[in-house]
Amino acid sequence: MRIINKTTLCMALTAGAIVAPDFAQAVQADSIGASYKVAAQYPIGGSDGWDYMAFDGKRSRLFISRGRHVQVMDTKSGKLIGEIPDTDGVHGIAFAQDLKLGFTSNGKANTVSVFNLDTLAVVDTIKVSGVKPDFIYYEPAHKRIYTSNGGSANITAIDATTRKVVATIDLGGSPEAMVSDKGGRYLYVNLEDKNELLKIDAQAGKVVARWPIAACDAPTGLAFDTQHQRLFSVCHSANMMVVDAKSGKVVSTVASAKFADAAAFDPKQHLVYSSNGEGALMVVREDSPNAYTVQSKLTTMPGAKTMALDPKTHRVYLVSSQFSPAPAATAENPHPHPAIVPDTVVVLVAEPSTVK
């Protein structure tokens, strides 16, 4: 995923089914209201860009990647409480709660930083086996860290206990977000430049299925309903593809907003979320495994392309800023982009307007 920075800004400032009674009851029980609202904004300063965010529910902390460092915000107060330094080109953050460790993918340094979740102290740095590590994911069953390496079209697998690289998985395209099944046998990853979704045998370290999702231009964010085996790929092309994780069949296509870069699934509420660079948070209700309804489209801010979900409170955290007008085009830079206005970067807190 591209980091939003001073020279880069995201370009833009159903298959029906009969709903089984038990599924419908689960969706309705203890459900949240139909709409979302922006409930708070917290300034986090600076002029560095941002990419992925991650929420540590155990400690009520939000981690925001900021180009060369990661900011850490206390979500109860909205105040910054620390940072992870020296993460050159940082994209993502992953947590191994069982090991009390966090990991960052540092795209320019081609490294992973390892830090203590309680103290935030960096305890190790791991050189990855690829180039430009972007998305990072922790699979707890086998205690593996995986990085999507956009510059080398592969995935690096790291043993989180020994902090050693144990495998490199060739993909044949530029990977973005990934998820795994409950037991960690299979990984699923979007290929942004191929408009494909891959299924990977994690232990064998090889691709076992390659599913085209042609109508999804530049698939980025990925979420997973493991109970019903449904994958949710969100796209730059203002749509979301729902894919059967067993067969690879697209079972539904849902209208969305442009330039999506992150997705999340709330299994209790049966809701799929996507954050979109054009400035919208989409909330989609899973009526059944094959039927979906847009529940809410919340206006956020242009550039608010990534997010983190708190599944307990159902709050969604996003980040963006104000932008100055784009400079005049030149021969060297024929398509200039707006720049971040310093000290206007904010975390947005979106929450349900009501709870039923």
Side-chain angles (χ1 to χ4, degrees):
M1 181 186 298
R2 183 186 299 179
I3 297 173
I4 286 190
N5 54 34
K6 287 185 177 181
T7 58
T8 305
L9 169 64
C10 196
M11 288 178 290
L13 290 176
T14 68
I18 296 174
V19 181
D22 58 340
F23 196 98
Q25 290 169 5
V27 171
Q28 294 172 3
D30 193 30
S31 63
I32 61 177
S35 63
Y36 264 66
K37 63 181 180 182
V38 175
Q41 293 189 24
Y42 298 121
I44 57 175
S47 57
D48 289 326
W50 58 86
D51 200 353
Y52 290 111
M53 311 167 72
F55 176 69
D56 178 358
K58 185 175 182 179
R59 298 165 184 81
S60 299
R61 292 174 176 176
L62 181 70
F63 291 71
I64 310 114
S65 62
R66 294 298 304 275
R68 293 168 295 180
H69 61 120
V70 176
Q71 292 176 298
V72 185
M73 188 186 85
D74 175 66
T75 56
K76 294 179 180 178
S77 66
K79 297 184 182 299
L80 294 174
I81 59 170
E83 70 170 36
I84 313 301
D86 303 321
T87 57
D88 193 18
V90 63
H91 287 278
I93 307 102
F95 306 130
Q97 294 288 2
D98 54 337
L99 303 176
K100 295 185 178 181
L101 293 175
F103 302 82
T104 70
S105 52
N106 309 324
K108 291 184 178 180
N110 296 325
T111 61
V112 167
S113 295
V114 187
F115 62 94
N116 183 294
L117 281 173
D118 291 323
T119 68
L120 304 180
V122 175
V123 297
D124 205 352
T125 302
I126 305 165
K127 191 74 172 178
V128 302
S129 57
V131 179
K132 296 181 181 178
D134 190 341
F135 189 84
I136 187 167
Y137 179 75
Y138 179 62
E139 193 285 295
H142 299 95
K143 301 186 189 304
R144 291 287 187 268
I145 283 286
Y146 296 97
T147 63
S148 291
N149 305 320
S152 52
N154 58 17
I155 287 174
T156 296
I158 299 169
D159 185 319
T161 56
T162 65
R163 305 174 198 163
K164 303 295 183 183
V165 172
V166 294
T168 303
I169 305 170
D170 293 324
L171 303 177
S174 181
E176 273 285 339
M178 74 181 85
V179 294
S180 68
D181 60 14
K182 286 185 177 180
R185 178 181 179 184
Y186 293 113
L187 296 172
Y188 303 87
V189 61
N190 282 329
L191 289 192
E192 184 179 20
D193 60 340
K194 301 293 186 181
N195 296 354
E196 292 179 339
L197 178 60
L198 304 188
K199 182 178 183 179
I200 298 167
D201 184 320
Q203 296 307 299
K206 65 179 182 179
V207 176
V208 294
R210 191 178 296 270
W211 299 322
I213 45 176
C216 178
D217 183 42
T220 50
L222 185 63
F224 196 11
D225 174 358
T226 56
Q227 181 181 358
H228 301 100
Q229 291 293 292
R230 291 296 181 263
L231 294 156
F232 309 105
S233 287
V234 296
C235 324
H236 280 198
S237 50
N239 52 357
M240 178 181 78
M241 314 301 287
V242 184
V243 178
D244 185 322
K246 294 181 178 179
S247 67
K249 178 183 177 181
V250 175
V251 299
S252 184
T253 301
V254 185
S256 185
K258 291 182 179 179
F259 311 118
D261 253 355
F265 179 66
D266 184 335
K268 182 178 180 181
Q269 302 293 330
H270 293 271
L271 295 177
V272 189
Y273 300 82
S274 70
S275 50
N276 304 271
E278 74 170 48
L281 172 68
M282 301 298 299
V283 185
V284 176
R285 185 177 68 248
E286 183 183 40
D287 300 311
S288 80
N290 292 349
Y292 298 82
T293 304
V294 175
Q295 177 165 298
S296 177
K297 181 178 181 180
L298 173 68
T299 299
T300 55
M301 293 174 66
K305 68 191 183 78
T306 55
M307 66 174 183
L309 171 67
D310 178 350
K312 184 176 180 180
T313 65
H314 316 293
R315 292 190 181 100
V316 178
Y317 298 93
L318 309 101
V319 62
S320 194
S321 74
Q322 300 297 319
F323 296 91
S324 63
T330 64
E332 294 77 17
N333 185 16
H335 303 291
H337 296 295
I340 295 168
V341 176
D343 296 321
T344 66
V345 184
V346 294
V347 169
L348 305 177
V349 184
E351 65 180 26
S353 56
T354 59
V355 179
K356 295 180 181 179

